[in-house]
Amino acid sequence: MLRPQDSATRERKNLDGVWDFRLDTGAVGRDERWFAAPLDDARPMAVPASFNDLVTDSKTREFFGDIWYQRTVRVPRGWAGERILVHLESATHRATVWVDDVEVVSHEGGYLPFEADVTDHVTAGSEFRLTVCVNNTLSFRSIPPGVIEDTPAGRTQLYWHDFFNYAGLHRSVWLSAVPADRVDDVTVVTGFADDARTTGTVDVTVATTGDGGDVELVLRDPAGRTTAMATAPVTAGPTRLEVPDVHPWGIGDGYLYDLEVRLLGEGGDLLDSSHLKVGVRTFEVDGTRLLLNGEPVHLTGFGMHEDHVTVGKKHDPALMIRDFELLRWIGANSFRTSHYPYSEDVLDHADAAGVLVIDETPAVGLNMGLGGGIFGGQGYTTFSPETIGDETREVHAQVIRDLVARDKNHPSVVIWSIANEPESETQGAEDYFRPLFDVAREADPTRPVGFVNVMLAPHGQCRVTQFADLVMLNRYYGWYVHTGDLAGAERAMREELGLWAGDGKPVLMTEYGADTYPGLHQLPARPWSEEYQTELLDMHHRVFDDIDAIVGEQMWNFADFATTSGIMRVGGNKKGAFTRDREPKAVAHLLRHRWTAGRDQ
Ligand code: BDP
């Protein structure tokens, strides 16, 4: 599946705006065929957006179940004879789509795209009714998991992850026109032909909807000059382009070539043309080091969230630009898409900005040992046939494949994270995860694969890290343990990190930090104050600097974000270096000082 795009042979029409919207409080919409007519009792709703924070009543905000969206769409009259696709960039957490009365596609997973060929159900120049039934319920068969419990107050959705279960159509919806004989998928792997890295290599594999024909590949530099070209039969396998005097893709230097993939018919006529941005780089694990283009890198940055006031998890280009401006200001060269795949526009931007990305699946909260009143219900066994078992693993495996399929060509994406803080100290965890690492490596043999380890599975007890190419650790010394005691925290952390460092793999600190109420100042510093967050980070950095195997530091979190209600959270999670409206806390200046040292401001 290629993204909708405008090219010499392709067109797209954006369907964002205000749609009709209705919650299916009685769970009757499918039986009553709500898709077969204009939605009764509909209210207006923005697409894209999370619906939750646009409303004023908590029943709607907290609703879980079927959520119906509908609008009419006119097919451009020039599209006769084309294949016509409906493409949704995300529907959280699953959806079914109808064109008029016809069901055209269902999809599981809230953060990755899907589409349907609707050519047989629409007419160029005419209107059709587009209905999307989104479902936001979490269960032991979904990634992330959750459970519905019957309580005296009614049925409640519980889950074990620390961010609000925003739902809706979070990213753009498109109608697009593509040729019948077309390019269906492109895979690009880049490298260098020589040790001096003066000649780049771009290996391109193309899949098409038809059989036969030739593929012409044209690589152009940003000025539009052709730097490499090749033509090969579609069936030939990967085709190598050699890029003389290559400008490698690097940190802060998001140099991108444009790859045009042209599908040619019998007589050499152009059947399809699509474009892809390509950054030429290598990324690998070498002992305890991470090498970008053969040079060691130290990652600085954050675990982030797609989370904003009012719009929730909506992707918004303006808000994205502000986030990237702040990343640059503070000297971050990387981030993790905690805890789900972000909008592909964010990866485009990371490509162009030269920012490294740890790309994470939505597998978060696979840990019933965590919670203690923060995340909800307790009393479940994490891995068991009744809870997270073989069926869940199938869903998890599919989301890994889908993530790789979408993001494999982004130069910014350098590491796959297949889960955040799952239970990992048990036999059940070992059995669950072993095959998932194989799934990831089969889908992408070129990038390191890891998962993020939780403090409950310290060195010597974790049974999953053995499968990973690198160690990724979330640690809360000085916050959840040794609270307020930074000297004790430092001793304990030095001891544990020293052990991990001895395993011969690179160690990345993917989370560390402290909740901090903006504007709360205390001398001497105590937990929740801006001073404490600053001192806690300072202590961590001192320790990191003493351990060679630590190849990166991603503070938790970039900004404050919304969570479920609970006695551990004051208006959400407050561990941000920035507030939720993206203004710096005191700690942001400390980070900036550390991460921009030696840089021209
Ligand atoms: C870790 C999680 C993250 C939480 C964070 C915290 O990975 O999602 O928000 O800790 O407690 O457990 O702030």
Side-chain angles (χ1 to χ4, degrees):
M1 176 168 73
L2 295 186
R3 293 162 85 184
Q5 57 177 277
D6 292 303
S7 76
T9 58
R10 294 169 173 246
E11 263 177 79
R12 60 183 184 164
K13 172 173 171 164
N14 185 274
L15 303 183
D16 298 351
V18 177
W19 292 40
D20 288 340
F21 173 88
R22 186 176 171 188
L23 300 182
D24 194 352
T25 47
V28 295
R30 285 174 181 259
D31 287 347
E32 292 182 357
R33 297 169 53 83
W34 285 6
F35 50 85
L39 273 181
D40 274 345
D41 293 329
R43 61 205 277 191
M45 184 51 66
V47 174
S50 301
F51 68 86
N52 312 77
D53 285 353
L54 303 186
V55 299
T56 53
D57 63 300
S58 70
K59 264 212 162 107
T60 304
R61 181 176 194 270
E62 308 287 333
F63 178 82
F64 57 93
D66 282 346
I67 302 147
W68 293 77
Y69 287 81
Q70 195 179 68
R71 62 163 285 169
T72 52
V73 179
R74 184 173 292 278
V75 182
R77 60 198 168 130
W79 287 9
E82 304 292 319
R83 301 306 296 184
I84 296 173
L85 311 176
V86 171
H87 181 102
L88 292 92
E89 291 187 15
S90 79
T92 315
H93 293 278
R94 66 190 60 78
T96 303
V97 180
W98 290 264
V99 164
D100 292 327
D101 294 5
V102 184
E103 182 178 325
V104 293
V105 67
S106 283
H107 177 261
E108 174 70 28
Y111 305 95
L112 289 169
F114 58 101
E115 65 185 23
D117 186 326
V118 301
T119 317
D120 295 345
H121 315 297
V122 301
T123 308
S126 299
E127 278 191 342
F128 68 90
R129 189 176 54 251
L130 179 62
T131 309
V132 183
C133 176
V134 176
N135 181 285
N136 64 345
T137 307
L138 299 173
S139 74
F140 282 121
R141 301 291 167 266
S142 66
I143 294 289
V147 72
I148 295 169
E149 285 191 344
D150 284 313
T151 70
R155 280 155 51 85
T156 319
Q157 171 81 74
L158 299 177
Y159 45 90
W160 298 273
H161 54 266
D162 184 33
F163 55 93
F164 186 72
N165 187 28
Y166 281 118
L169 297 174
H170 284 145
R171 302 173 193 158
S172 284
V173 181
W174 301 92
L175 193 68
S176 74
V178 295
D181 279 332
R182 64 181 181 273
V183 174
D184 202 26
D185 193 29
V186 180
T187 307
V188 162
V189 177
T190 64
F192 300 98
D194 52 342
D195 288 345
R197 287 186 280 278
T198 48
T199 303
T201 58
V202 181
D203 294 334
V204 187
T205 308
V206 176
T208 59
T209 52
D211 42 23
D214 284 337
V215 172
E216 187 177 68
L217 304 172
V218 186
L219 194 74
R220 298 185 180 91
D221 69 14
R225 286 183 297 249
T226 300
T227 52
M229 264 184 92
T231 307
V234 166
T235 46
T239 303
R240 171 158 294 192
L241 296 172
E242 297 228 334
V243 193
D245 295 323
V246 66
H247 187 137
W249 185 93
I251 290 174
D253 185 14
Y255 192 93
L256 297 172
Y257 294 88
D258 177 80
L259 175 67
E260 184 182 359
V261 180
R262 295 160 60 85
L263 179 63
L264 306 178
E266 293 283 302
D269 49 319
L270 180 67
L271 300 178
D272 189 18
S273 157
S274 66
H275 291 258
L276 179 74
K277 295 283 182 224
V278 173
V280 180
R281 58 114 181 102
T282 57
F283 189 83
E284 65 207 298
V285 169
D286 174 50
T288 58
R289 302 184 307 170
L290 293 176
L291 304 182
L292 174 67
N293 300 333
E295 302 295 327
V297 281
H298 183 89
L299 271 59
T300 58
F302 303 94
M304 297 182 73
H305 264 299
E306 289 187 312
D307 174 274
H308 283 92
V309 176
T310 311
V311 297
K313 293 208 172 304
K314 171 194 180 179
H315 171 68
D316 181 294
L319 299 172
M320 176 186 72
I321 296 288
R322 172 72 179 172
D323 284 0
F324 272 90
E325 287 289 321
L326 294 177
L327 288 172
R328 214 200 83 74
W329 174 83
I330 208 167
N333 64 23
S334 73
F335 62 87
R336 175 169 61 119
T337 70
S338 40
H339 297 304
Y340 37 81
Y342 292 0
S343 162
E344 205 175 345
D345 294 355
V346 173
L347 299 181
D348 285 348
H349 212 75
D351 291 344
V355 172
L356 304 176
V357 176
I358 301 176
D359 205 359
E360 189 159 274
T361 72
V364 55
L366 285 69
N367 197 332
M368 311 298 141
L370 277 177
I374 315 176
F375 311 141
Q378 298 295 292
Y380 296 95
T381 304
T382 304
F383 297 107
S384 79
E386 295 73 41
T387 53
I388 298 173
D390 291 349
E391 278 180 59
T392 326
R393 186 169 55 201
E394 272 317 301
V395 179
H396 196 159
Q398 193 54 45
V399 83
I400 293 172
R401 290 187 201 103
D402 290 351
L403 176 67
V404 173
R406 191 194 69 165
D407 293 349
K408 61 188 173 187
N409 294 325
H410 286 282
S412 57
V413 173
V414 290
I415 294 168
W416 303 114
S417 165
I418 65 170
N420 178 69
E421 294 197 347
E423 178 179 299
S424 64
E425 69 281 20
T426 57
Q427 182 68 44
E430 187 174 331
D431 297 343
Y432 178 89
F433 275 104
R434 180 187 290 111
L436 291 178
F437 280 87
D438 296 339
V439 167
R441 293 201 174 96
E442 196 177 308
D444 179 9
T446 71
R447 287 179 179 82
V449 183
F451 82 105
V452 172
N453 164 286
V454 66
M455 204 156 180
L456 297 175
H459 188 268
Q461 290 180 39
C462 180
R463 297 169 68 152
V464 176
T465 307
Q466 56 173 320
F467 306 125
D469 296 313
L470 73 170
V471 178
M472 296 194 275
L473 300 178
N474 291 353
R475 289 298 180 269
Y476 285 96
Y477 288 104
W479 186 253
Y480 292 122
V481 295
H482 299 280
T483 319
D485 167 19
L486 291 181
E490 178 166 348
R491 271 195 303 277
M493 183 164 69
R494 271 187 197 281
E495 191 181 331
E496 199 207 344
L497 296 188
L499 295 172
W500 287 107
D503 281 357
K505 293 181 182 181
V507 179
L508 262 175
M509 298 305 297
T510 35
E511 288 184 27
Y512 60 103
D515 279 279
T516 303
Y517 207 82
L520 179 66
H521 291 281
Q522 288 174 335
L523 194 63
R526 267 109 64 215
W528 290 96
S529 66
E530 299 213 23
E531 284 76 8
Y532 189 75
Q533 188 183 32
T534 306
E535 286 184 19
L536 181 140
L537 255 66
D538 213 18
M539 179 279 277
H540 278 72
H541 297 153
R542 196 161 57 233
V543 175
F544 299 165
D545 289 345
D546 288 344
I547 303 177
D548 285 345
I550 293 185
V551 293
E553 51 200 58
Q554 292 187 331
M555 181 249 187
W556 189 255
N557 187 286
F558 171 71
D560 294 347
F561 58 91
T563 63
T564 49
S565 305
I567 53 166
M568 302 281 284
R569 298 288 177 256
V570 186
N573 189 308
K574 291 278 185 282
K575 295 195 184 69
F578 297 94
T579 57
R580 201 174 181 215
D581 57 1
R582 275 45 180 184
E583 296 298 347
K585 296 183 191 170
V587 78
H589 299 281
L590 171 97
L591 289 167
R592 181 167 192 255
H593 183 71
R594 175 174 169 83
W595 291 345
T596 63
R599 174 181 99 175
D600 264 353
Q601 303 297 309

